[in-house]
Amino acid sequence: MEEKEISQAVIGRLPRYFRYLGELKDEGVERISSQDLSVLMKITASQIRQDFNNFGGFGQQGYGYNVEYLYDEIGRILGLNRQHSFIIVGAGNLGRALGNYMNFERRGFIFKGMFDKDPALFGEKVRGVEVMPMEKLDAFVRENSIDIAVLTLPKAGAEEAAKRLVQNGIKAIWNFAHVDLNVPEEIQVENVHLSDSLMKLSYNIDRYEHEQTAEV
Amino acid sequence: MEEKEISQAVIGRLPRYFRYLGELKDEGVERISSQDLSVLMKITASQIRQDFNNFGGFGQQGYGYNVEYLYDEIGRILGLNRQHSFIIVGAGNLGRALGNYMNFERRGFIFKGMFDKDPALFGEKVRGVEVMPMEKLDAFVRENSIDIAVLTLPKAGAEEAAKRLVQNGIKAIWNFAHVDLNVPEEIQVENVHLSDSLMKLSYNIDRYEHEQTAEV
């Protein structure tokens, strides 16, 4: 099937469809209408149909969608039938939390290596993967054709690490460092700026309280 | 200053402005034009002016913005001049990583308690805060008027924990559990679905490779 250029907003919603369909499948549901999926996911049925039409519509024909087929297709579109190797740069608490997250493996993300500059951590293992010194990063990425680097190190080291990763052929960076990276356009970057998300929450708490007071 | 209803898209950009302005301030920059800020942040100057106009414009008058004033104002809008108490529910790797993140305190987020159902963790301390059993959650939230709960526990426990938190007066949930919570509208929720973000990366890697192949 030829896929046209899909907007990042649509792509951003696919994992959520995938998650809900996985749950329906686990519950033994075989078919679901866009109407029922709409109620479940709290988005409009027309949004769902519009999103799915980007991929040929997945063949709803009055009977609703075939849950398992839809789950598999969306997984395939997301590339979850392929394997992607990843390393974690920064073996602090967050890096270790991500390394320990088994679910990634189920989705085809294979944890290959972990790096830190702190000698006290060298040789420590996270789910069987050893923490290595930063000096070994470049060769490791090149020789093992690593696809994805997870950056869980302080801002100060993140820019330099990103530069080295790019030079050694990394394809994508999952960035948890509190900085927007300067990398070539062909490198895929997903930022998870945790503080930003907490600040948004802070705003919305205060806003809501302000509104309540104003209404009194 | 009376603030009108601001879109969540604008709110979502404020933390990023705040971050860049903090860096400029640390570097000793006193004034910056929307043009220079635009180049630095890779968004258009007109977007910046439009965003700031939601808050009265912050008085750019040909000289550019006063960096420190703008930083303080945006921090105030985000509620960072106020204190918010938070607890962490789920003392696994991710929960501990977030508990150890000192930066939150600098922004007025005060770490008050940590809960888990695993007796092996009771009494363990994360940055001076003790892990308590889930049985103590309800009373603790109520008696300490906790504002924010961070959910870092598996999906299965997250829904029930959220329900108990809401019953005991929580204002906001920062949700890392792999599920969309069903909570009343007045509860502010920010979801950080880490797998979703990784899947998006996976899609974009494959998409880019597909395009490269197609162009050959």
Side-chain angles (χ1 to χ4, degrees):
Chain A
M1 178 181 65
E2 192 50 53
E3 285 161 18
K4 49 182 167 131
E5 184 72 46
I6 315 290
S7 83
Q8 286 295 310
V10 177
I11 304 314
R13 283 191 291 269
L14 288 183
R16 192 158 173 265
Y17 286 120
F18 185 73
R19 182 150 43 89
Y20 275 87
L21 289 162
E23 282 175 20
L24 289 167
K25 192 176 149 233
D26 289 346
E27 289 163 12
V29 177
E30 288 181 12
R31 302 197 78 91
I32 189 161
S33 66
S34 54
Q35 200 51 53
D36 288 350
L37 195 56
S38 153
V39 172
L40 194 65
M41 295 184 63
K42 292 177 188 153
I43 50 178
T44 66
S46 99
Q47 172 83 78
I48 293 175
R49 284 189 298 265
Q50 217 176 309
D51 283 349
F52 289 0
N53 278 338
N54 283 294
F55 308 97
F58 302 121
Q60 159 150 0
Q61 307 238 346
Y63 309 86
Y65 299 103
N66 178 316
V67 170
E68 188 162 356
Y69 171 75
L70 192 50
Y71 175 82
D72 289 345
E73 279 299 295
I74 292 180
R76 187 191 62 75
I77 291 166
L78 286 169
L80 304 180
N81 56 334
R82 298 178 57 178
Q83 292 206 333
H84 297 100
S85 57
F86 74 92
I87 57 167
I88 296 177
V89 185
N93 285 291
L94 183 57
R96 271 179 280 177
L98 294 171
N100 272 308
Y101 192 56
M102 297 288 291
N103 238 359
F104 293 154
E105 211 117 302
R106 269 183 52 208
R107 305 285 180 235
F109 300 97
I110 314 298
F111 182 26
K112 293 279 196 173
M114 194 157 197
F115 296 85
D116 204 285
K117 63 172 188 178
D118 181 1
L121 300 175
F122 300 162
E124 247 190 48
K125 283 190 174 176
V126 174
R127 213 145 48 79
V129 171
E130 209 171 299
V131 179
M132 290 171 274
M134 284 297 283
E135 288 72 28
K136 295 197 176 174
L137 179 68
D138 306 63
F140 189 91
V141 168
R142 213 167 44 235
E143 286 161 17
N144 295 281
S145 303
I146 300 297
D147 298 316
I148 303 172
V150 184
L151 292 191
T152 46
L153 73 178
K155 192 167 68 171
E159 280 284 6
E160 200 223 321
K163 204 174 149 192
R164 287 167 59 184
L165 290 160
V166 168
Q167 279 166 354
N168 289 286
I170 207 85
K171 292 174 188 163
I173 295 177
W174 199 20
N175 178 39
F176 288 78
H178 206 47
V179 62
D180 294 324
L181 300 170
N182 240 322
V183 295
E185 212 184 66
E186 68 268 24
I187 310 296
Q188 310 301 323
V189 178
E190 272 286 313
N191 292 305
V192 184
H193 291 318
L194 292 175
S195 299
D196 287 14
S197 153
L198 190 55
M199 286 184 206
K200 203 173 159 199
L201 207 53
S202 159
Y203 174 88
N204 283 325
I205 293 173
D206 296 347
R207 184 78 210 162
Y208 178 76
E209 287 179 354
H210 183 81
E211 278 171 14
Q212 296 307 100
T213 318
E215 279 167 19
V216 171
Chain B
M1 179 181 63
E2 193 49 55
E3 286 161 17
K4 49 184 168 132
E5 185 71 47
I6 315 291
S7 84
Q8 285 295 308
V10 176
I11 304 314
R13 283 192 291 271
L14 288 184
R16 194 159 171 265
Y17 286 119
F18 185 73
R19 182 150 42 90
Y20 275 87
L21 289 163
E23 282 175 19
L24 289 167
K25 193 177 147 230
D26 289 347
E27 288 163 12
V29 177
E30 287 180 12
R31 302 196 78 92
I32 190 162
S33 66
S34 55
Q35 201 51 55
D36 289 349
L37 195 57
S38 155
V39 172
L40 193 67
M41 294 185 61
K42 293 176 184 152
I43 49 178
T44 65
S46 98
Q47 171 83 79
I48 293 175
R49 284 188 298 264
Q50 218 176 310
D51 283 349
F52 289 0
N53 277 338
N54 283 293
F55 307 97
F58 300 122
Q60 160 150 1
Q61 307 236 348
Y63 309 86
Y65 300 103
N66 178 316
V67 169
E68 187 162 357
Y69 172 75
L70 192 50
Y71 175 82
D72 289 344
E73 280 298 296
I74 292 180
R76 186 191 61 77
I77 291 166
L78 285 168
L80 305 180
N81 55 333
R82 297 178 55 177
Q83 292 208 332
H84 297 101
S85 56
F86 75 92
I87 58 166
I88 296 176
V89 185
N93 285 291
L94 183 58
R96 270 177 282 177
L98 294 171
N100 271 308
Y101 193 54
M102 296 290 290
N103 238 359
F104 293 154
E105 211 117 302
R106 269 183 51 209
R107 303 286 178 234
F109 299 98
I110 313 299
F111 182 26
K112 292 280 196 173
M114 194 158 197
F115 296 85
D116 204 284
K117 63 174 188 177
D118 180 1
L121 299 174
F122 300 163
E124 247 190 49
K125 284 191 175 176
V126 174
R127 212 146 50 80
V129 171
E130 208 172 303
V131 178
M132 291 171 273
M134 284 298 281
E135 288 72 27
K136 294 197 176 173
L137 180 69
D138 306 63
F140 189 92
V141 169
R142 213 167 44 235
E143 286 161 16
N144 295 280
S145 304
I146 300 298
D147 297 317
I148 303 172
V150 184
L151 292 191
T152 47
L153 74 177
K155 192 167 68 173
E159 280 284 9
E160 199 224 322
K163 203 174 149 193
R164 287 167 59 186
L165 290 161
V166 169
Q167 279 167 353
N168 289 285
I170 208 83
K171 293 175 187 164
I173 295 177
W174 199 20
N175 177 40
F176 288 78
H178 206 46
V179 62
D180 294 323
L181 300 169
N182 240 322
V183 295
E185 212 183 66
E186 68 268 24
I187 309 297
Q188 310 301 323
V189 178
E190 271 288 311
N191 291 306
V192 183
H193 291 318
L194 292 174
S195 299
D196 287 13
S197 153
L198 190 54
M199 288 184 204
K200 204 175 159 198
L201 207 52
S202 160
Y203 173 89
N204 283 325
I205 293 174
D206 296 347
R207 183 78 211 163
Y208 179 76
E209 286 179 354
H210 182 81
E211 280 171 9
Q212 295 308 100
T213 318
E215 279 168 21
V216 172

